């Protein structure tokens, strides 16, 4: 399992736009085949950093998921919404692989 962590730098005056964007992905991402962990908006500290996190089985599955997301009506609409409203100033993706097990698990 791979986790994609997306770090967003957002316009702090458009936090509600980011919240709408995140809620839309909350519908589209699972429908298109990734396991959405969640979207996180600024609360305390930085007013410009936000995160989105989801899991996929492997990079091949990620490519298939991205194709489904690009074809999804809500996915296309959400991409356009972000372009139109310009609340995302920068977006960085990092791929992580879990190397620990939950406390108390075996094997």
């Amino acid at each position: 399992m791979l986790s994609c962590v997306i770090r967003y730098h957002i316009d702090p005056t458009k936090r509600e736009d980011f919240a709408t964007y995140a809620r839309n992905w909350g519908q589209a991402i699972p429908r298109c085949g990734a396991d959405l962990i969640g979207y996180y908006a600024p609360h305390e500290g930085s007013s410009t950093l936000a995160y989105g996190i989801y899991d996929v089985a492997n990079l091949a599955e990620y490519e298939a998921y991205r194709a489904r997301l690009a074809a999804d009506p809500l996915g296309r609409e959400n991409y356009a919404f972000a372009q139109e409203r310009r609340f995302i100033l920068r977006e960085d993706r990092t791929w992580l692989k879990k190397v620990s097990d939950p406390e108390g698990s075996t094997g």
Side-chain angles (χ1 to χ4, degrees):
M1 186 68 62
L2 296 175
S3 297
C4 181
V5 178
I6 308 167
R7 180 177 65 178
Y8 297 96
H9 292 261
I10 64 171
D11 180 334
T13 67
K14 297 181 178 181
R15 290 166 92 174
E16 282 305 312
D17 284 342
F18 181 80
T20 298
Y21 177 79
R23 284 190 296 273
N24 289 339
W25 285 141
Q27 297 174 47
I29 288 172
R31 181 173 59 231
C32 291
D35 181 17
L36 180 64
I37 306 304
Y39 269 76
Y40 302 86
H43 176 71
E44 194 67 33
S46 172
S47 63
T48 61
L49 288 179
Y51 294 88
I53 305 170
Y54 61 88
D55 291 339
V56 292
N58 53 52
L59 290 177
E61 181 54 37
Y62 169 72
E63 293 301 329
Y65 151 77
R66 292 284 292 182
R68 289 189 296 271
L69 194 62
D72 184 83
L74 182 56
R76 287 194 312 268
E77 195 175 291
N78 214 27
Y79 283 127
F81 173 68
Q83 291 292 316
E84 175 188 310
R85 299 289 299 153
R86 302 180 61 94
F87 53 89
I88 298 172
L89 306 176
R90 181 175 166 179
E91 181 178 327
D92 301 304
R93 279 182 172 69
T94 300
W95 287 95
L96 302 173
K97 183 174 181 174
K98 187 175 179 183
V99 295
S100 67
D101 289 324
E103 190 175 328
S105 74
T106 59

